[in-house]
Amino acid sequence: MSSSQCLRRLATPGSMRPVTSNMLRSASRSVSRSPNALRALSTSSVSRSSSLLSSQPRKPAHLLRASPINLQQTRTYAEKIVKVPEMAESITEGTLKQFSKQVGDYVEQDEEIATIETDKIDVAVNAPEAGTIKEFLCNEEDTVTVGQDLVKMEPGGAPASSAGKEEASQEPKAPASDDQKTSSQPEGGKEKEAAEKKPEPKKEESKPAPPKPEPKKEKKPEPKDTKKPAQDSPFGSREERRVKMNRMRLRIAERLKQSQNTAASLTTFQEVDMSALMDMRKQYKDEILKKTGVKLGFMSAFSRASCLAIKELPAVNASIEGPQGGDTIVYKDYVDISVAVATEKGLVTPVVRNAESLDMIGIEAEIAALGKKARDNKLTIEDMAGGTFTISNGGVFGSLMGTPIINLPQTAVLGLHAIKEKPVAINGKVEIRPMMYLALTYDHRLLDGREAVTFLVRVKEFIEDPRKMLLA
């Protein structure tokens, strides 16, 4: 057998004759000697593959048409991990209070995703870019640290809801076309319509069945029975509720107890006549509001009076620093007044910077802006950092008298209270005047009684005659 005949037999699909080792050796030797045999082998294999392709049935042309869904160009985006942001130098962790979005929601860039509660402020976590939320990597009420993975999102792309709406709007059109086709058929269409209409009354018959057991479900006397044993108790209700303290409340409690244990606190009182200040405010408040847009209050007057009194007694604005309770007195040439503001989560003290360089209108504008930020939970660490002297106004809640606690490392805190009309002796006569109690709590380690009382008397003099503040 020649080499070409051997190779043709190997390539022939119908040949069922077994191939021996001698045949393979002779074929390989023949191929090495004759290139024509290799061409014959390749030609036979090509003809075999073409015959196999021709033998397969061809699909109809309409099935070979590409689907529009496959032709659509789709974009894929890499997933992005949103981490816990930097909060402040002294804050490294917080409590994940809540997620403001759900998994699958589309968020715009800088839109709030979650809120982290710290011992000072609430930190908002914003989306670094537009995208869809895929997964929450933490649970609410978990303690999270700076840099920890928080949310997995897919950036870019349109909201999934809009695409779903478009598909939903296109889906009901398909059965309408089927109905039109069946209606054109005289017999088959009518039979199909009759078959479709027959199960409909069965559904209507089954619908009135569920409302029947509904009145049976109205078994509301059971909870009343469970409460009766509690009402039978001679002491009334004995229920208790346990709520975990938030981080801000825990921090406030820690700081107040630290102040109580560290400072040698002492409080002195004065009674001030508010007549002159109230008359001045009544006379000029509308004019100031029209020109500056600032509502003139009493806090600006007490802040200005305190700044002028501090110039005379700088120890009120000083602080004690150092190891083991402090061994160094730090005197400050500036006055940063911490204004106590009550919020739902606790007491915060935003700071009016360099109050000694501001007039009453400037101080009032700063206090109003900080108060609004505190109520809207938008205060930052910078808004509350520092502070050399604190003013607390408990009079807005009706407090008649109290002893405020020092905000360490400060040395003193001025407490304002409610204005009440009282009979007062004026030039040997009894008159009804609007009076307010002032309280100054000071650290006796740094301030002596003479300095503390002198400071409070100076504030009293400035308030009872506001014109003196122009001459100081």
Side-chain angles (χ1 to χ4, degrees):
M1 183 183 292
S2 63
S3 61
S4 59
Q5 290 176 351
C6 182
L7 291 173
R8 286 193 194 98
R9 180 166 296 183
L10 289 173
T12 302
S15 177
M16 302 299 295
R17 185 178 177 181
V19 180
T20 62
S21 58
N22 296 328
M23 294 172 66
L24 291 174
R25 288 192 210 98
S26 61
S28 60
R29 285 195 299 268
S30 301
V31 169
S32 60
R33 296 195 199 98
S34 174
N36 295 327
L38 183 61
R39 290 194 196 97
L41 176 61
S42 61
T43 305
S44 61
S45 62
V46 169
S47 61
R48 178 191 175 192
S49 60
S50 60
S51 62
L52 289 173
L53 289 174
S54 61
S55 62
Q56 292 181 357
R58 293 186 179 181
K59 293 183 179 180
H62 67 277
L63 294 178
L64 295 175
R65 195 173 300 163
S67 174
I69 297 176
N70 297 331
L71 293 177
Q72 289 181 354
Q73 184 178 2
T74 58
R75 297 181 180 179
T76 57
Y77 300 90
E79 291 181 345
K80 188 175 185 64
I81 302 298
V82 182
K83 299 181 180 292
V84 177
E86 295 286 342
M87 293 176 278
E89 294 181 359
S90 59
I91 299 177
T92 58
E93 65 177 19
T95 301
L96 180 58
K97 197 61 181 176
Q98 64 177 1
F99 286 109
S100 53
K101 299 293 181 180
Q102 300 295 330
V103 175
D105 288 353
Y106 178 80
V107 293
E108 297 289 346
Q109 186 175 4
D110 295 331
E111 189 174 354
E112 184 176 324
I113 299 176
T115 303
I116 298 176
E117 182 184 70
T118 69
D119 55 1
K120 295 182 180 179
I121 60 171
D122 288 348
V123 178
V125 181
N126 299 327
E129 53 186 300
T132 304
I133 296 175
K134 292 299 182 183
E135 184 182 356
F136 292 145
L137 305 179
C138 297
N139 298 322
E140 293 183 355
E141 301 300 332
D142 284 355
T143 299
V144 294
T145 58
V146 174
Q148 181 178 340
D149 295 346
L150 194 63
V151 177
K152 183 187 293 183
M153 63 180 295
E154 182 180 345
S161 59
S162 62
K165 290 180 181 178
E166 292 177 359
E167 292 177 0
S169 62
Q170 293 176 359
E171 284 177 0
K173 292 181 181 179
S177 61
D178 295 336
D179 293 339
Q180 290 176 359
K181 292 178 181 178
T182 55
S183 62
S184 63
Q185 298 174 1
E187 296 179 357
K190 291 180 181 179
E191 291 176 359
K192 290 180 180 179
E193 289 179 0
E196 292 177 356
K197 290 180 180 179
K198 285 181 181 179
E200 289 180 0
K202 292 180 181 179
K203 293 180 181 178
E204 292 177 356
E205 291 175 0
S206 60
K207 284 181 181 178
K212 291 181 180 179
E214 286 181 1
K216 295 180 181 180
K217 293 180 182 179
E218 296 178 358
K219 297 179 181 180
K220 295 182 180 179
E222 292 181 358
K224 294 181 181 179
D225 296 336
T226 56
K227 292 181 180 179
K228 284 181 180 179
Q231 294 177 355
D232 294 340
S233 174
F235 304 105
S237 177
R238 304 285 292 174
E239 295 181 359
E240 293 182 355
R241 290 186 303 112
R242 295 180 180 271
V243 180
K244 186 178 179 180
M245 295 174 67
N246 58 49
R247 284 180 171 266
M248 186 177 291
R249 174 54 61 188
L250 286 170
R251 182 60 175 167
I252 290 171
E254 180 184 346
R255 290 292 303 276
L256 293 178
K257 190 60 182 176
Q258 180 186 3
S259 174
Q260 192 179 43
N261 295 338
T262 303
S265 300
L266 189 63
T267 305
T268 182
F269 299 92
Q270 277 289 341
E271 196 174 23
V272 59
D273 186 358
M274 298 289 292
S275 300
L277 183 60
M278 292 176 71
D279 292 341
M280 185 189 77
R281 178 177 178 271
K282 183 179 180 180
Q283 184 176 355
Y284 296 109
K285 67 176 183 178
D286 294 336
E287 181 180 350
I288 293 173
L289 180 62
K290 186 182 295 184
K291 288 183 178 180
T292 64
V294 177
K295 294 182 179 180
L296 188 62
F298 296 133
M299 282 292 293
S300 57
F302 282 100
S303 299
R304 182 61 182 167
S306 299
C307 290
L308 296 175
I310 284 173
K311 287 184 179 180
E312 183 179 345
L313 300 161
V316 178
N317 195 49
S319 62
I320 299 177
E321 297 180 5
Q324 299 179 356
D327 56 1
T328 305
I329 300 175
V330 181
Y331 292 95
K332 303 176 180 67
D333 296 333
Y334 57 90
V335 181
D336 289 347
I337 296 180
S338 301
V339 181
V341 179
T343 64
E344 295 180 356
K345 295 184 178 181
L347 189 70
V348 295
T349 54
V351 180
V352 178
R353 308 288 179 186
N354 291 96
E356 80 286 351
S357 61
L358 300 175
D359 56 10
M360 289 178 58
I361 298 175
I363 294 174
E364 196 70 50
E366 288 292 324
I367 293 174
L370 292 171
K372 185 178 185 303
K373 291 179 70 176
R375 289 187 293 272
D376 295 341
N377 293 326
K378 294 183 178 179
L379 285 174
T380 63
I381 295 294
E382 291 75 14
D383 292 330
M384 295 187 291
T388 61
F389 182 76
T390 299
I391 298 179
S392 176
N393 188 5
V396 295
F397 306 108
S399 174
L400 182 64
M401 185 182 295
T403 57
I405 299 178
I406 299 171
N407 183 16
L408 291 180
Q410 299 175 16
T411 301
V413 53
L414 177 65
L416 312 182
H417 299 91
I419 301 173
K420 300 292 183 181
E421 290 187 347
K422 295 175 61 178
V424 182
I426 305 295
N427 297 326
K429 297 180 181 179
V430 177
E431 297 184 10
I432 304 299
R433 295 289 183 92
M435 306 298 292
M436 175 194 286
Y437 285 110
L438 299 181
L440 181 72
T441 300
Y442 59 96
D443 190 350
H444 214 322
R445 298 179 302 164
L446 182 56
L447 284 179
D448 294 330
R450 179 188 67 84
E451 296 166 318
V453 172
T454 302
F455 173 84
L456 200 56
V457 169
R458 292 291 180 270
V459 173
K460 169 185 168 70
E461 291 174 352
F462 287 130
I463 296 301
E464 290 184 341
D465 188 2
R467 294 172 294 183
K468 288 184 177 181
M469 288 191 279
L470 300 175
L471 305 174

